[in-house]
Amino acid sequence: MPDEVLAANYSPEIPAGYEDPAQERRYRKERLAAALRLFALFGFDEGVAGHISARDPEYPNLFWVNPFLIPFSQVKVSDLSLVDEHGNVLKGTYPISRPAFVIHACIHRHRPDVVGAAHAHSIYGKALSATDQFIEPLTQDAAVFYQDQASFDNYSGVLEDLDEGNRLAAALGDKKAIILRNHGHLTVGKSVDSAAYWYITMERSAQTQLAAKAGGRTREISPEYAKLTYDQTGMDEAGWMQFQPLYEHIVRLQPDLLD
């Protein structure tokens, strides 16, 4: 049988998660630390900006997030902070940033289906956010966001107010991605894996879109086939799957992240 037919019919089983909360917690924290290292590897970090969170499997009103002032490139599993809905750090040596608390607390409160959420200040997401554009179905990869993205308009400064965080979460609605105008973008998923992958591919889709429009007139995939491609590749399980090679790469490259 040709390799391409085998690939088309290959459907790996997506893990349902661990029954033991401690094992599931460790899994999510490992993926969170790995995602932060990948963001650094891809150049998504900028100063103290950016954060990725993982809902705790045993206490769903709590979430794990990267601590303030530690570079993405140095975060380990043991560095992660456990935070409650009031912004109190329950576990961890370091504090977290106010925007990290506001954004992730509000998203996890409004979206009980969300396990992971990712936001950083990467170049092309910022560039796209400074326009009125959304991610357009110009390529197969970009179609994962077809009719599955929102925008949070009217920039009003650094997100430090809970009312503003709640408005952001309301604007996100049931979508997996949101463009924060004049700020950047944010993605969510039913796993840390998918949330991180959606962020990475949204950044690259923004880069591709801006480059294509600079090169001349663009051609969108037709709505019929954009929807078909979304149905084939835009589900959360696909985001989880796409993250796995990245996870294996960064763990082999930087195994200390698991400490």
Side-chain angles (χ1 to χ4, degrees), residues 98-111:
R98 176 70 180 177
F101 160 63
V102 168
I103 291 173
H104 294 273
C106 293
I107 287 174
H108 286 295
R109 184 183 306 118
H110 283 258
R111 288 284 299 274

Side-chain angles (χ1 to χ4, degrees), residues 99-159:
F101 160 63
V102 168
I103 291 173
H104 294 273
C106 293
I107 287 174
H108 286 295
R109 184 183 306 118
H110 283 258
R111 288 284 299 274
D113 61 312
V114 163
V115 168
H119 168 63
H121 289 188
S122 46
I123 293 173
Y124 297 100
K126 287 193 296 184
L128 192 75
S129 80
T131 73
D132 290 325
Q133 300 176 69
F134 287 86
I135 297 294
E136 299 169 9
L138 300 181
T139 66
Q140 176 175 293
D141 294 332
V144 301
F145 299 105
Y146 185 68
Q147 296 183 333
D148 199 7
Q149 56 187 308
S151 69
F152 184 56
D153 302 328
N154 303 319
Y155 177 81
S156 59
V158 176
L159 261 162

Side-chain angles (χ1 to χ4, degrees), residues 191-234:
S191 64
V192 178
D193 312 58
S194 58
Y197 179 74
W198 297 140
Y199 186 93
I200 292 165
T201 200
M202 192 170 187
E203 170 70 6
R204 290 174 170 169
S205 295
Q207 180 179 6
T208 301
Q209 181 169 315
L210 293 168
K213 291 194 171 189
R217 185 177 178 180
T218 58
R219 296 180 58 181
E220 287 192 9
I221 300 171
S222 70
E224 175 188 2
Y225 289 108
K227 179 63 166 61
L228 173 63
T229 307
Y230 174 85
D231 290 341
Q232 293 170 324
T233 63

Side-chain angles (χ1 to χ4, degrees), residues 31-251:
R31 262 48 187 188
L32 175 50
L36 290 161
R37 294 291 187 99
L38 284 164
F39 276 29
L41 188 68
F42 296 149
F44 297 167
D45 49 342
E46 183 168 328
V48 299
H51 18 81
I52 306 176
S53 68
R55 189 190 299 274
D56 188 81
E58 188 173 8
Y59 306 101
N61 59 321
L62 309 181
F63 62 92
W64 297 87
V65 70
N66 52 297
F68 192 49
L69 296 178
I70 296 184
F72 284 6
S73 62
Q74 296 177 19
V75 174
K76 301 176 182 179
V77 168
S78 58
D79 293 325
L80 299 173
S81 298
L82 180 65
V83 183
D84 69 13
E85 60 219 288
H86 306 294
N88 300 308
V89 176
L90 306 181
K91 289 186 179 180
T93 306
Y94 308 98
I96 66 164
S97 73
R98 176 70 180 177
F101 160 63
V102 168
I103 291 173
H104 294 273
C106 293
I107 287 174
H108 286 295
R109 184 183 306 118
H110 283 258
R111 288 284 299 274
D113 61 312
V114 163
V115 168
H119 168 63
H121 289 188
S122 46
I123 293 173
Y124 297 100
K126 287 193 296 184
L128 192 75
S129 80
T131 73
D132 290 325
Q133 300 176 69
F134 287 86
I135 297 294
E136 299 169 9
L138 300 181
T139 66
Q140 176 175 293
D141 294 332
V144 301
F145 299 105
Y146 185 68
Q147 296 183 333
D148 199 7
Q149 56 187 308
S151 69
F152 184 56
D153 302 328
N154 303 319
Y155 177 81
S156 59
V158 176
L159 261 162
E160 295 184 333
D161 181 76
L162 281 173
D163 288 340
E164 194 78 353
N166 286 323
R167 286 194 290 273
L168 187 161
L172 174 65
D174 62 355
K175 309 299 185 186
K176 69 161 160 276
I178 186 168
I179 298 172
L180 314 178
R181 296 298 176 194
N182 306 105
H183 186 168
H185 65 284
L186 179 148
T187 54
V188 299
K190 295 177 182 178
S191 64
V192 178
D193 312 58
S194 58
Y197 179 74
W198 297 140
Y199 186 93
I200 292 165
T201 200
M202 192 170 187
E203 170 70 6
R204 290 174 170 169
S205 295
Q207 180 179 6
T208 301
Q209 181 169 315
L210 293 168
K213 291 194 171 189
R217 185 177 178 180
T218 58
R219 296 180 58 181
E220 287 192 9
I221 300 171
S222 70
E224 175 188 2
Y225 289 108
K227 179 63 166 61
L228 173 63
T229 307
Y230 174 85
D231 290 341
Q232 293 170 324
T233 63
M235 73 287 288
D236 204 79
E237 293 81 2
W240 179 92
M241 192 188 314
Q242 293 276 25
F243 185 75
Q244 301 317 300
L246 298 175
Y247 177 80
E248 294 299 330
H249 173 70
I250 198 65
V251 167

Side-chain angles (χ1 to χ4, degrees), residues 14-29:
I14 307 301
Y18 293 98
E19 291 185 7
D20 180 357
Q23 288 182 290
E24 178 66 22
R25 180 179 297 113
R26 177 70 194 189
Y27 175 92
R28 294 182 186 186
K29 291 172 70 177

